[in-house]
Amino acid sequence: MTAQTSGGDGPRTDTVAAVVRQWQTVHPGLDTGPMEIIGRINRSAALLQQAEDAPLRRAGLSRPEFDLLGALRRTGHELTPGDLARETFSSGAAVTKRLKQLTERGLVERRGDTRDRRVAHLRLTDAGRDLVDGILPEQLAYETAVLSELDGEKQGELASLLGELLTRLEGRLGALRV
């Protein structure tokens, strides 16, 4: 598929299509197929995150802070900072900094390990749980509205394709990190 077509639906008019056309003018023989996919994934992610982050900004949270709170909420049990780093694909230093801020705000509680003082166990406070539970429905409503342009079958197909790509990337990149 090229930037000029979209499977019979007419020419693509998104910003990535314009970039691809420019590259094809400069380098006519260049295969821009990967750019057409990766570029659209990246551009879509950036646009979705900008709008989706509005409820977080209103609550005084950054996306990475909400990701930490969400990890604690969805797992339903205490996690160590290392666990949170793995859950949120963040560095240990970044997690430590964010946890300090969230603890100071009264959203996360820290408990020392009885056997190893170097280990901290973290859990949401009631205020942290209420904050996550209050924001999540608003975010899901936004996502539902965005995806409503695609029928259920296309949503399922897109979810399946992205899931397949993510599984392969996680396997490949995970092996490189070991």
Side-chain angles (χ1 to χ4, degrees), residues 1-174:
M1 183 184 303
T2 68
Q4 302 295 329
T5 64
S6 61
D9 296 335
R12 292 195 188 267
T13 57
D14 61 72
T15 56
V16 172
V19 169
V20 167
R21 282 192 298 275
Q22 290 169 338
W23 278 118
Q24 288 173 341
T25 300
V26 175
H27 291 289
L30 195 63
D31 177 11
T32 57
M35 184 184 298
E36 294 180 51
I37 296 169
I38 303 299
R40 286 188 175 99
I41 290 172
N42 288 337
R43 178 76 175 141
S44 294
L47 290 169
L48 288 167
Q49 191 163 334
Q50 285 174 1
E52 188 178 75
D53 285 353
L56 302 181
R57 285 191 300 275
R58 284 192 296 274
L61 291 173
S62 67
R63 161 65 53 185
E65 289 171 334
F66 183 72
D67 288 346
L68 290 178
L69 296 173
L72 287 167
R73 181 66 173 121
R74 73 175 183 270
T75 59
H77 56 82
E78 292 182 345
L79 297 173
T80 65
D83 294 334
L84 282 169
R86 284 185 293 281
E87 284 285 328
T88 61
F89 305 102
S90 301
S91 71
V95 168
T96 298
K97 179 182 174 186
R98 292 176 193 133
L99 285 172
K100 183 178 186 296
Q101 295 165 338
L102 295 170
T103 301
E104 289 172 357
R105 288 184 60 188
L107 301 173
V108 174
E109 289 179 333
R110 178 184 296 263
R111 177 183 64 79
D113 190 285
T114 56
R115 292 173 292 188
D116 187 346
R117 291 186 319 213
R118 297 171 296 175
V119 176
H121 297 275
L122 304 151
R123 70 179 188 95
L124 288 178
T125 62
D126 289 342
R129 186 172 31 263
D130 290 347
L131 183 61
V132 171
D133 289 351
I135 292 172
L136 190 57
E138 188 176 349
Q139 286 191 294
L140 290 173
Y142 167 75
E143 292 170 4
T144 298
V146 168
L147 293 173
S148 69
E149 297 295 319
L150 300 174
D151 66 32
E153 185 177 325
K154 285 186 178 179
Q155 286 183 31
E157 183 179 339
L158 181 58
S160 178
L161 289 170
L162 289 172
E164 183 177 335
L165 176 63
L166 184 57
T167 298
R168 290 173 188 226
L169 288 172
E170 287 176 339
R172 176 179 297 158
L173 298 178

